[in-house]
Amino acid sequence: MAANIIRVALIGLSSNATTSWAAVAHLPYLQSAQGQTQYKIVALLNSSREAAEKARSHFNLPSSVKAYGDPALLAADDEIDLVSVVTRVDNHYAAVEPSIRAGKAVYVEWPLTESLKRSVDLLGNRKGRDTSIIGLQGRLSPVASKIREVLASGRIGKVLDSEVRGFSATGCGQKPGTLLPGGMEDMFTQRAIGGNHVTILYAHMIDLVHSVLGEFKDFHSKLQIRWPKLGVVDSDGTQLRTLRNDIPDLISAHGELAPGVANIQEGATLSVFFRNGPHFKNESSFVWYIQGQTGELKITSPYGPTLQAASLPGVKIELHDNITDEVTEIPWESEWKDWQNELPTPGAKLVGEMYNRYAQWFKQGENKEVPEGRDWPRLEDAIHRQEELEKMLSDFDKTP
């Protein structure tokens, strides 16, 4: 095997999964010309060895790729350098814990686990020396990079405040208060599973915003369950059954931004609104304003609050110059690298960038440092984001 090729095991690459993020986001990069200079898939782990063998055959992987059904056996394999976990969140802990304890590097899709407590336990004593990856890839979006560049340039002066509004109809039927069946109705009605509107959609949105503007110094939130019972409907709107729902579907958060980010005025505030369900007709499902002393940015997307879809037409960054009173659109598509443009989906482009950055660091050898601007989100970042969500949900649970 070529020197510095990272031997990777994929957990969750399935031929019949309800969702296929492993197939549409991870596999394209790992099998691309760029990816194959850095990585080699050497193992699969599924619910059983037979399921892993079926996935290997379905995706035309070489027969040399090992098939595992037991996470402990995979963790004991010394010929694996990186374990990528792309399963439903309530399976993350059991799938990855043996590999972490064995000292392997891991790439875990967001959320890390179904609860802050389990995530803290999973990280263990790695804090401060964490070289693994968490799937908060929206931070690496070229849209986010371009916004940071504009703010750093001072084109709108120091940031005074920011407002974000996001809407998502993920899993929703045609009418408010309904869900389309698809094998994930339990995820979007049972908070204990850990993967839902709050922990996935809102979290990806707020993480990207924080990656640009910095964290909250302090904040207050108000959560609401507007639909305590959800009707499950088929594709033509026929109601099949009713499920109880304990997941908030509306979030409002407001707070002061912490100091430390360049060109953010001390005391600047951030206001965030998220609603699960359709947005007003003909309006954007994601709108983000950043007001500065001399101008304002407006970022809009017709695809909802997760900019993992930001290579699609329609995502705009606009700048209103208060002095000239002119509005100009700021192009960002050229931020994609050539090898990213060869990948089929926005998810693959950003997941690929995560893998690419990790590989560039890995190839430097021992005692390496990450080059400036080439870092990636780590498991420690997942803990921090889950702490923010935990505070919101804990305050919600205390509300009379």
Side-chain angles (χ1 to χ4, degrees):
M1 184 178 296
N4 291 326
I5 290 292
I6 301 169
R7 300 165 297 181
V8 60
L10 277 176
I11 300 180
L13 180 66
S14 173
S15 59
N16 58 359
T18 302
T19 57
S20 56
W21 191 246
V24 302
H26 286 250
L27 197 60
Y29 178 76
L30 293 172
Q31 293 188 315
S32 70
Q34 170 82 3
Q36 290 185 63
T37 66
Q38 301 168 329
Y39 293 91
K40 181 178 181 180
I41 300 172
V42 298
L44 300 179
L45 171 68
N46 288 70
S47 57
S48 67
R49 180 176 177 178
E50 292 72 23
E53 290 172 344
K54 287 181 180 178
R56 181 178 63 195
S57 175
H58 179 81
F59 292 101
N60 297 314
L61 297 177
S63 59
S64 59
V65 173
K66 301 173 187 177
Y68 286 105
D70 184 345
L73 293 178
L74 182 144
D77 189 336
D78 291 334
E79 296 181 339
I80 296 172
D81 303 308
L82 176 69
V83 177
S84 292
V85 183
V86 198
T87 64
R88 209 172 81 159
V89 60
D90 50 338
N91 295 322
H92 283 185
Y93 188 96
V96 76
E97 190 269 346
S99 289
I100 287 182
R101 297 294 171 254
K104 294 188 185 302
V106 299
Y107 181 155
V108 186
E109 277 298 347
W110 173 265
L112 180 53
T113 73
E114 67 270 33
S115 71
L116 174 62
K117 182 178 183 300
R118 296 205 90 186
S119 293
V120 170
D121 179 60
L122 193 62
L123 184 63
N125 62 1
R126 294 160 68 100
K127 192 171 184 179
R129 53 187 184 88
D130 174 25
T131 57
S132 291
I133 310 167
I134 185 67
L136 291 169
Q137 56 271 3
R139 299 182 182 193
L140 277 52
S141 163
V143 174
S145 299
K146 180 58 68 172
I147 297 168
R148 294 188 196 102
E149 178 186 312
V150 173
L151 295 183
S153 73
R155 287 182 65 182
I156 64 169
K158 286 193 173 183
V159 172
L160 305 176
D161 64 85
S162 182
E163 177 186 355
V164 184
R165 294 177 63 84
F167 304 84
S168 179
T170 299
C172 289
Q174 297 173 348
K175 297 180 181 179
T178 62
L179 288 171
L180 283 171
M184 297 193 297
E185 306 97 287
D186 54 345
M187 279 184 60
F188 290 106
T189 56
Q190 300 173 32
R191 198 204 307 177
I193 291 175
N196 53 62
H197 317 301
V198 178
T199 61
I200 297 178
L201 302 175
Y202 176 82
H204 273 300
M205 180 180 80
I206 194 64
D207 186 75
L208 180 137
V209 171
H210 283 316
S211 77
V212 172
L213 300 178
E215 301 293 332
F216 279 126
K217 178 181 178 181
D218 57 65
F219 75 99
H220 303 280
S221 63
K222 173 68 176 178
L223 280 63
Q224 180 182 348
I225 297 177
R226 295 167 299 148
W227 309 105
K229 292 183 180 180
L230 288 169
V232 178
V233 300
D234 60 20
S235 58
D236 67 4
T238 301
Q239 184 153 329
L240 305 176
R241 57 190 176 279
T242 299
L243 296 177
R244 290 188 176 275
N245 169 47
D246 67 354
I247 301 170
D249 49 28
L250 185 145
I251 299 172
S252 177
H254 180 88
E256 181 179 334
L257 291 168
V261 177
N263 282 342
I264 306 291
Q265 180 167 289
E266 184 175 354
T269 58
L270 171 62
S271 177
V272 187
F273 177 86
F274 171 85
R275 186 177 77 199
N276 188 57
H279 51 87
F280 196 89
K281 187 175 182 178
N282 297 327
E283 292 189 0
S284 293
S285 54
F286 176 79
V287 184
W288 180 10
Y289 297 96
I290 305 175
Q291 185 185 33
Q293 296 167 318
T294 60
E296 185 168 12
L297 289 179
K298 179 183 179 183
I299 302 95
T300 56
S301 170
Y303 310 109
T306 55
L307 290 188
Q308 282 84 334
S311 73
L312 300 172
V315 177
K316 291 184 179 181
I317 304 174
E318 297 173 282
L319 189 153
H320 177 206
D321 188 313
N322 292 341
I323 298 174
T324 64
D325 199 30
E326 293 181 349
V327 175
T328 57
E329 185 172 344
I330 299 175
W332 57 268
E333 291 87 346
S334 62
E335 299 292 308
W336 291 120
K337 302 176 180 67
D338 289 342
W339 62 261
Q340 287 178 306
N341 286 323
E342 296 174 0
L343 296 173
T345 66
K349 297 178 197 294
L350 291 180
V351 167
E353 178 64 7
M354 300 267 269
Y355 276 118
N356 185 51
R357 292 189 182 194
Y358 180 84
Q360 289 178 345
W361 168 82
F362 182 89
K363 289 181 179 182
Q364 295 179 52
E366 296 297 326
N367 302 316
K368 50 259 183 184
E369 294 185 2
V370 177
E372 185 176 352
R374 301 299 299 162
D375 207 347
W376 64 87
R378 319 290 184 94
L379 301 192
E380 289 185 43
D381 296 304
I383 299 294
H384 188 77
R385 190 59 57 234
Q386 284 191 284
E387 287 174 339
E388 181 176 340
L389 298 179
E390 181 79 6
K391 179 182 184 306
M392 295 171 56
L393 290 166
S394 178
D395 290 346
F396 169 72
D397 288 337
K398 296 173 185 177
T399 303

